[in-house]
Amino acid sequence: VIIDIGILLAAGKLIEPSWGALEFLKFIGIINATVTGCTAMTYIIAYAISKRSAYLFTGFGGLIGTTLALSVALKQSYSDVKVIPLRHSSVRVKHIPIILLCVVALLSLLKVLWMSDLCMAFFGFINGWIYLRFFQLKANESKGDLSDGFAFATFFPEAIQSPIKWFSNNLFALLISMKICPKQVRRYNVGGPSSVTISLPGIDPVDAERRKQLALKELDKRLSGADQSGNWPSLDEPGAANLEDEEASLDSITVADVHSNKMHDNSTDVV
């Protein structure tokens, strides 16, 4: 309950200003309805397979599905923000959804939470990503967020992203062939004679600008850290003055030798 309230308050503070109150409430309503429906359908299918009447009388409820969906929304907008800084690596916002899902799964296996809580958490995670990825209406009248940084594989550790990406891409191609998901379309604007603008559907300019500002802020932090770690090297190398003196002395010796040779040649010609 404490985690649910904390994430709900944080999401309301961070997401609602950019989405708007109406879209925020719409997202919560859609997630609650779809999570409840999918969980109920899961128990009906479990009863049809096992014929155990206990599945028909299982009660479930709470905000655990909404919590997972809101963590996905936070990952979409604030993916690289550090939550728990560590020495070698840091826990970022993009790690929160899969961490929460693993914690709920572990507590369900230990009988601390009900299996219905695990079902609701799973469907909250999946349904939240599907809605934000394909169906959320943006300010530029496009739907969803088809950017690479919000792909399904990015929720998992990098070591297992390749097989997950292969599976999700093939599943997405199947859903496109079944007319369930829209196909990604690139639009080219060649109205200007000297520029070509490429825009991807589902990428809101507001989200792109926010991610740009976060990247610039992270770059400034790294540059300031590099400045504090040490001084810039001096352009004047030690011993440069001595080298200049030696070169000047060599030039003077060479000039003197040339003059002496010329004097010797003139004396020879006179003789």
Side-chain angles (χ1 to χ4, degrees):
V1 176
I2 295 176
I3 296 176
D4 293 343
I5 295 175
I7 292 183
L8 183 61
L9 293 176
K13 183 179 180 180
L14 296 174
I15 298 175
E16 191 270 337
S18 60
W19 284 9
L22 182 60
E23 177 62 27
F24 185 72
L25 293 176
K26 176 184 175 183
F27 177 73
I28 293 178
I30 290 175
I31 292 302
N32 281 328
T34 56
V35 166
T36 302
C38 291
T39 304
M41 186 62 62
T42 300
Y43 275 91
I44 292 175
I45 294 174
Y47 166 75
I49 295 174
S50 63
K51 302 300 181 181
R52 293 179 58 183
S53 60
Y55 288 123
L56 294 179
F57 300 99
T58 300
F60 53 86
L63 293 175
I64 192 167
T66 305
T67 300
L68 265 294
L70 289 175
S71 67
V72 173
L74 288 174
K75 191 262 184 193
Q76 179 192 29
S77 302
Y78 303 94
S79 179
D80 292 326
V81 175
K82 294 181 181 179
V83 179
I84 303 176
L86 301 176
R87 183 174 181 180
H88 299 289
S89 62
S90 301
V91 178
R92 302 178 183 271
V93 175
K94 63 182 179 181
H95 302 138
I96 292 179
I98 196 65
I99 291 176
L100 289 178
L101 190 60
C102 291
V103 169
V104 173
L106 179 62
L107 294 178
S108 299
L109 292 176
L110 296 176
K111 305 299 182 180
V112 177
L113 295 177
W114 298 98
M115 292 303 296
S116 59
D117 294 327
L118 178 58
C119 290
M120 295 183 68
F122 174 77
F123 287 119
F125 171 73
I126 295 296
N127 294 352
W129 177 78
I130 291 175
Y131 175 77
L132 295 175
R133 182 71 168 174
F134 301 108
F135 300 106
Q136 186 184 37
L137 194 62
K138 297 290 185 178
N140 57 359
E141 298 183 355
S142 61
K143 287 186 177 181
D145 182 1
L146 298 178
S147 60
D148 294 336
F150 196 55
F152 186 72
T154 58
F155 287 89
F156 299 89
E158 294 182 359
I160 60 174
Q161 283 186 7
S162 296
I164 293 176
K165 187 176 181 180
W166 176 86
F167 174 77
S168 60
N169 288 339
N170 285 282
L171 180 60
F172 182 58
L174 177 63
L175 294 177
I176 289 176
S177 63
M178 297 172 64
K179 307 296 183 181
I180 297 177
C181 292
K183 186 177 181 180
Q184 183 175 353
V185 180
R186 289 176 171 83
R187 299 192 302 269
Y188 300 90
N189 182 12
V190 292
S194 61
S195 63
V196 177
T197 302
I198 302 174
S199 60
L200 294 177
I203 300 179
D204 193 354
V206 178
D207 292 339
E209 182 65 23
R210 181 172 60 251
R211 293 173 185 175
K212 178 182 177 181
Q213 295 299 327
L214 291 174
L216 291 175
K217 184 177 180 180
E218 184 69 19
L219 181 60
D220 291 338
K221 289 182 180 179
R222 295 184 180 181
L223 289 177
S224 62
D227 292 339
Q228 295 174 1
S229 61
N231 297 324
W232 290 97
S234 177
L235 295 177
D236 296 331
E237 297 181 356
N242 297 331
L243 290 175
E244 292 179 356
D245 294 339
E246 292 178 1
E247 291 177 356
S249 61
L250 288 174
D251 292 339
S252 61
I253 293 172
T254 304
V255 171
D257 291 341
V258 170
H259 282 292
S260 62
N261 291 334
K262 286 184 177 180
M263 291 178 63
H264 179 71
D265 293 340
N266 291 334
S267 62
T268 303
D269 293 336
V270 170
V271 172

